[in-house]
Amino acid sequence: MKNILLFIVASLAISCASKKEVTQVKKKEPFTGVVRFTGTSCRVNIEILTNENPEYLGKMVYALNLETKFQKNGLKINFDLVPSKALTPDGCNASLVATVINVSVLK
């Protein structure tokens, strides 16, 4: 009787186990952009040059936290962004306000 019960439990355990599909999660490509001095109230924007999402191409980003070492007109950078609900400053021509992370200079 114990053997039959053990066999039933083992069968259920094996039948309930399913193959887990291993899917590779594609790492999101970082944004590539160029720092632009604007002469407006937001002073420094980042113009998005490349990204896997064409919706962002050509948009100007007002980066809330861009470090001063990256605030050089014409500097090409890679970065990730987190859109912010912060308001665009008056007179700023940015399309998007965001926090930038993982910023690095493009070589």
Side-chain angles (χ1 to χ4, degrees), residues 41-76:
S41 58
C42 52
R43 193 173 159 283
V44 178
N45 284 341
I46 303 169
E47 180 183 358
I48 297 175
L49 301 175
T50 62
N51 185 258
E52 62 188 24
N53 186 346
E55 175 183 324
Y56 286 104
L57 298 180
K59 299 255 177 156
M60 296 295 273
V61 178
Y62 173 56
L64 296 171
N65 65 327
L66 186 63
E67 294 180 52
T68 54
K69 67 182 178 182
F70 297 116
Q71 293 182 14
K72 296 176 183 158
N73 196 33
L75 183 67
K76 288 188 179 181

Side-chain angles (χ1 to χ4, degrees), residues 1 8 10-11 15 19 23 31-33 37-38 42-43 49-51 53-54 57 65 80 85-87 93 96 100 106:
M1 186 69 175
I8 292 172
S11 297
S15 67
K19 284 186 176 180
T23 57
F31 292 86
T32 299
F37 287 172
T38 64
C42 52
R43 193 173 159 283
L49 301 175
T50 62
N51 185 258
N53 186 346
L57 298 180
N65 65 327
D80 293 317
K85 292 183 179 180
L87 297 175
N93 61 351
L96 175 68
V100 292
L106 186 65

Side-chain angles (χ1 to χ4, degrees), residues 26-31 51-52 79-80:
K26 183 179 177 189
K27 186 177 183 303
K28 289 177 73 175
E29 290 292 318
F31 292 86
N51 185 258
E52 62 188 24
F79 61 97
D80 293 317

